[in-house]
């Protein structure tokens, strides 16, 4: 074997080793990224999760708003990327506790009973106005001492929460997408899909509650979203009980003097 042939063989061997090392490195990094994603969402490979579907609050019992369907598709894609499976259940048939399966709950308390239960049990510092009658506070969020009113078509709010309870140790969280409108539910799922790596670095597997604002959804749809605040502490702190009003009817009446 002359020098030229030997150099060619050595070059081929070196190229093969470099390619193999590059493939192994990329595979390792991809698997590490996948494990982090699975850990954040609580979706190990071949695990089961729960998609809780809301309904159109002003329509038939089984009707689902178009943007809520898009939100479910966003979540289904995330679950598939984690190599997990999803079971879809209507909000009024989802009867189970916490920690067994990761849960994705879409919709506000007016259209999703499961959301209403989560707010009452896990986020006592949040109240949502579900009055059917039109008014300035219809759909408004009360979070601690702050109130966020719905400005239809201009500024609409949604709560994005990752909640852990019981003995799950953050391994099987509840993800809550509680919006003032259907398009805000989709905006929250899209925000989670785009920012889950940053959220995982910041919060790890702990609970968090974020208040998001969807800006001018009539023009921009669910794409322009602003983070208003991290409201985790306020949302988990029970609201103070309203002070009892004075009952004048129970006061003692003095007898009139003759």
């Amino acid at each position: 074997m002359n020098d030229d042939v030997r150099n060619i063989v050595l070059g081929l061997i070196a190229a093969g080793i470099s390619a193999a090392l590059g493939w192994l490195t990329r595979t390792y990094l991809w698997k590490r990224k996948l494990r982090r994603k699975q850990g954040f969402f609580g979706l190990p490979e071949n695990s089961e999760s729960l998609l809780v579907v809301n309904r159109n609050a002003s329509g038939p019992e089984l009707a689902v708003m178009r943007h809520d369907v898009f939100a479910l598709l966003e979540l289904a894609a995330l679950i598939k990327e984690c190599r997990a499976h999803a079971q879809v259940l209507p909000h009024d048939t989802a009867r189970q506790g916490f920690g067994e399966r990761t849960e994705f709950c879409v919709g506000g308390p007016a259209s999703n009973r499961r959301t209403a239960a989560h707010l009452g049990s896990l986020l006592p510092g949040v109240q949502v106005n579900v009055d059917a009658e039109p008014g300035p506070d219809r759909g408004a969020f009360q979070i601690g001492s702050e109130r966020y009113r719905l400005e239809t078509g201009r500024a609409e709010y949604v709560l994005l929460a990752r909640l852990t309870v019981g003995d799950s140790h953050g391994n099987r969280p509840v993800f809550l997408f509680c919006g003032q409108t259907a398009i805000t539910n989709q905006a929250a799922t899209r925000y989670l899909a785009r920012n889950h790596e940053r959220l995982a670095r910041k919060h790890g597997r702990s609970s968090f509650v974020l208040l998001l604002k969807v800006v001018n959804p009539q023009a921009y749809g669910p794409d322009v979203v602003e983070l208003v605040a991290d409201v985790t502490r306020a949302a988990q702190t029970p609201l103070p009980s309203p002070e009892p009003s004075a009952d004048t009817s129970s006061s003692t009446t003095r007898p009139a003097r003759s």
Side-chain angles (χ1 to χ4, degrees):
M1 180 182 295
N2 57 36
D3 292 342
D4 292 338
V5 175
R6 183 171 62 252
N7 291 336
I8 292 172
V9 172
L10 292 175
L12 291 174
I13 293 174
I17 293 174
S18 298
L21 290 175
W23 179 82
L24 290 173
T25 301
R26 288 192 299 271
T27 301
Y28 169 76
L29 294 175
W30 175 80
K31 287 185 176 181
R32 186 175 67 171
K33 184 178 180 180
L34 177 61
R35 286 194 298 269
R36 288 178 176 175
K37 186 174 184 178
Q38 290 172 333
F40 175 74
F41 286 108
L43 294 172
E45 193 163 343
N46 294 320
S47 62
E48 297 291 335
S49 62
L50 190 64
L51 275 174
V52 181
V53 182
N54 65 340
R55 63 175 176 83
N56 182 355
S58 60
E61 182 67 24
L62 297 180
V64 179
M65 296 288 285
R66 178 168 61 96
H67 288 290
D68 288 329
V69 174
F70 293 155
L72 295 172
L73 292 175
E74 299 263 7
L75 295 173
L78 279 176
I79 295 169
K80 185 176 181 181
E81 289 171 2
C82 291
R83 299 184 172 184
H85 311 288
Q87 179 185 5
V88 180
L89 285 179
H91 69 103
D92 51 355
T93 63
R95 297 183 178 91
Q96 68 172 45
F98 309 105
E100 294 182 3
R101 292 185 288 180
T102 292
E103 177 181 338
F104 300 89
C105 195
V106 177
S111 62
N112 192 320
R113 297 178 190 174
R114 185 81 172 171
T115 297
H118 289 329
L119 292 178
S121 301
L122 305 177
L123 299 178
V126 176
Q127 287 186 353
V128 181
N129 188 308
V130 295
D131 291 343
E133 296 297 327
D137 286 333
R138 182 182 180 184
F141 289 168
Q142 182 76 33
I143 306 174
S145 60
E146 300 294 330
R147 180 170 296 178
Y148 302 90
R149 288 187 171 94
L150 169 65
E151 300 177 48
T152 304
R154 296 177 54 195
E156 303 175 2
Y157 294 94
V158 57
L159 285 173
L160 167 62
R162 183 188 193 273
L163 307 173
T164 59
V165 291
D167 298 327
S168 65
H169 304 294
N171 295 325
R172 297 292 185 273
V174 173
F175 285 91
L176 194 63
F177 310 89
C178 176
Q180 293 177 324
T181 60
I183 199 170
T184 59
N185 297 330
Q186 183 190 1
T189 59
R190 184 166 295 182
Y191 182 92
L192 179 66
R194 291 176 174 175
N195 297 280
H196 66 85
E197 292 183 356
R198 179 177 60 82
L199 294 174
R201 288 193 297 269
K202 182 176 181 180
H203 302 282
R205 299 188 182 185
S206 302
S207 296
F208 63 80
V209 186
L210 306 179
L211 179 66
L212 309 175
K213 180 170 71 175
V214 185
V215 179
N216 199 357
Q218 289 183 342
Y220 305 129
D223 289 328
V224 181
V225 179
E226 295 179 359
L227 174 62
V228 178
D230 184 331
V231 295
T232 306
R233 180 174 297 180
Q236 293 179 334
T237 303
L239 292 172
S241 301
E243 295 181 0
S245 59
D247 188 358
T248 56
S249 62
S250 62
S251 60
T252 304
T253 303
R254 296 180 180 178
R257 294 182 180 179
S258 58

